[in-house]
């Protein structure tokens, strides 16, 4: 009997490993709501539309998705297993609306070191009519922070129809916002960076009035879409600039005082022509060595391409990055980028009609150890869907967030997915098997991982064994000889 029992333990351990310990990078994580995917309905309207625009992972492993829902600011917080966090807002959900006649468009969010949440975008005010940049700050429980702006919301009229398109938190707590504005009557645009004090007021030590602007000579329209902070305090803003008939990649770098950095490009600005009819940066990140990586999209006629461009610290394309500073993925587009500690680049967006996740090596080559040739395509619905944000967990797992549209019910949802990474994320639980009563053994596993599967690999009592379903109770008792 002793030898038979030892053989059984080995078989069970091997069976468990097939489903947990050997998960490959880029596979959906079954410990996240059972299948790696979560959808959440925020709107209470029959045909309401929800979309997550950004995602962050808190130090305690909770996941925060931020976006909008029927003109409201919407925040949803999840526990690490994908269930809604009951300690946040109402059942894990927070929405904010000034009045029934006003409308919020959320573009970006950031976590402060103290756990507070900053959200930026555009607010359309009905009376008196105004289109302003807004920043809102929430406390860790989801309540608006009364010490920020007016009742937790700061509005800034920059003289245009204004919008905040991205936000970062400086080490000193001040906020830097990518600022966009457009005047329809004058056909003028604003491509800039706005800095706010910790209370939401304009920081007048930044460019004299809190707003720094970049001008791209010859451009009819320029729009910032992303920003990144360098360790030296410099600020990189990325987007696009329109010249006559096409958009070019556009970057500007500001010094900590708001002046353009003359050592970057031409007087602090860079444009890159890709030969595409339209090209735009969606996100930007700064490597530890100071090189700047831009993720975006370009179109050549009717064909869409994901692109990543890497620039040297002086703003020239880095030719050590795939030979010319540019990498491409066909039938795809980028929305967000995050850098791994090993220098690999994870980019989220779309692939075909599905959500797409891509990983590139530091030299720009696709990571062959991730998905299929560095590319993972995940259908979240029967309609077209895409990721808007991506974040890394401390264990190497990757979380994406975006919007899912249900064409049957004409409704939108927050949609999240979590993927396995390279590190401890793919380690399986430890099995403990003890004799219960004669003829039975008790099997338990630590941690008690949802979605864990035990699969038969040998015969226990001549076929009496029944596979434990995904998410089986822990422990489970089975017959044994």
């Amino acid at each position: 009997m002793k030898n038979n029992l030892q053989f059984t333990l080995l078989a069970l351990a091997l069976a468990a490993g097939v489903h947990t310990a050997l998960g490959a990078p880029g596979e959906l994580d079954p410990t996240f709501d059972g299948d790696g995917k979560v959808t959440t309905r925020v709107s209470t309207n029959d045909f309401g539309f929800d979309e997550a625009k950004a995602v962050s992972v808190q130090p305690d492993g909770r996941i925060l998705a931020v976006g909008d829902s029927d003109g409201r600011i919407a925040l949803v917080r999840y526990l690490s297993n994908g269930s809604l966090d009951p300690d946040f807002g109402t059942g894990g959900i927070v929405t904010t609306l000034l009045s029934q006649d006003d409308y919020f468009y959320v573009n970006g969010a950031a976590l402060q070191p103290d756990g507070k949440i900053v959200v930026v975008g555009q607010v359309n005010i009905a009376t008196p009519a105004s289109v302003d940049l807004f920043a809102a700050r929430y406390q860790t429980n989801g309540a608006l922070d009364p010490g920020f702006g007016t009742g937790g919301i700061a509005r800034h009229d920059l003289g245009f129809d204004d919008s905040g398109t991205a936000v970062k938190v400086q080490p000193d707590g001040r906020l830097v916002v990518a600022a966009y504005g457009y005047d329809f009557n004058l056909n003028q645009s604003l491509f800039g960076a706005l800095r706010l004090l910790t209370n939401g007021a304009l920081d007048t030590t930044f460019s004299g009035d809190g707003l720094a602007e970049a001008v791209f000579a010859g451009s009819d329209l320029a729009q910032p879409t992303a920003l990144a902070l360098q360790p030296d305090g410099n600020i990189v803003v990325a987007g696009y600039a329109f010249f006559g008939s096409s958009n070019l990649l556009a970057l500007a770098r500001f010094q900590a005082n708001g002046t353009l950095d003359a050592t970057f490009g031409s007087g602090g600005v860079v444009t890159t022509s890709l030969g595409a009819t339209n090209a735009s940066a969606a996100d930007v990140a700064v490597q530890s060595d100071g090189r700047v990586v831009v993720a975006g999209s370009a179109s050549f006629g009717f064909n869409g391409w994901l692109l990543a461009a890497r620039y040297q610290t002086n703003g020239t394309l880095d030719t050590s990055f795939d030979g010319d500073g540019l990498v491409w993925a066909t039938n795809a587009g980028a929305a967000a980028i995050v850098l791994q500690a090993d220098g690999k680049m994870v980019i989220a967006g779309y692939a075909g009609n599905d959500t797409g996740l891509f990983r590139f090596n530091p030299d720009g080559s696709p990571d062959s150890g991730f998905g299929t040739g560095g590319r993972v395509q995940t259908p979240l619905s029967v309609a077209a869907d895409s990721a808007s944000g991506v974040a890394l967990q401390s264990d190497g797992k990757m979380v994406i967030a975006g919007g899912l549209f249900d064409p049957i019910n004409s409704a939108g949802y927050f949609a999240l997915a979590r993927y396995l990474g390279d590190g401890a994320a793919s380690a399986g639980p430890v099995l403990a098997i003890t004799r219960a009563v004669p003829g039975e053994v008790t099997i338990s596993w630590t941690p008690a991982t949802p979605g864990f599967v035990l699969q038969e690999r040998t015969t226990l009592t001549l076929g009496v064994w029944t596979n434990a379903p995904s998410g089986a109770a822990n422990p489970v008792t089975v017959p044994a000889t």
Side-chain angles (χ1 to χ4, degrees), residues 40 59 69 71 92 123 141 183-184 190 214 249 269 297 307 326 339 352 356-357 390 400 405 440 446 471:
T40 303
S69 172
V123 59
N141 63 358
D183 188 315
F184 289 90
L190 165 69
L249 289 183
V269 299
S297 302
L307 71 91
L326 302 168
L339 304 180
L357 191 63
V390 61
I400 64 170
F405 180 70
E440 292 183 346
T446 304

Side-chain angles (χ1 to χ4, degrees), residues 217 270 310:
V270 170
R310 190 164 71 191

Side-chain angles (χ1 to χ4, degrees), residues 9 19 22 27 95 135 148 175 178-180 193 312 387 402 413 449:
L9 303 189
H19 293 273
L22 300 183
E27 289 185 3
T95 61
F148 186 83
L175 308 175
Y180 171 65
Q312 301 277 12
Y413 297 76
T449 309

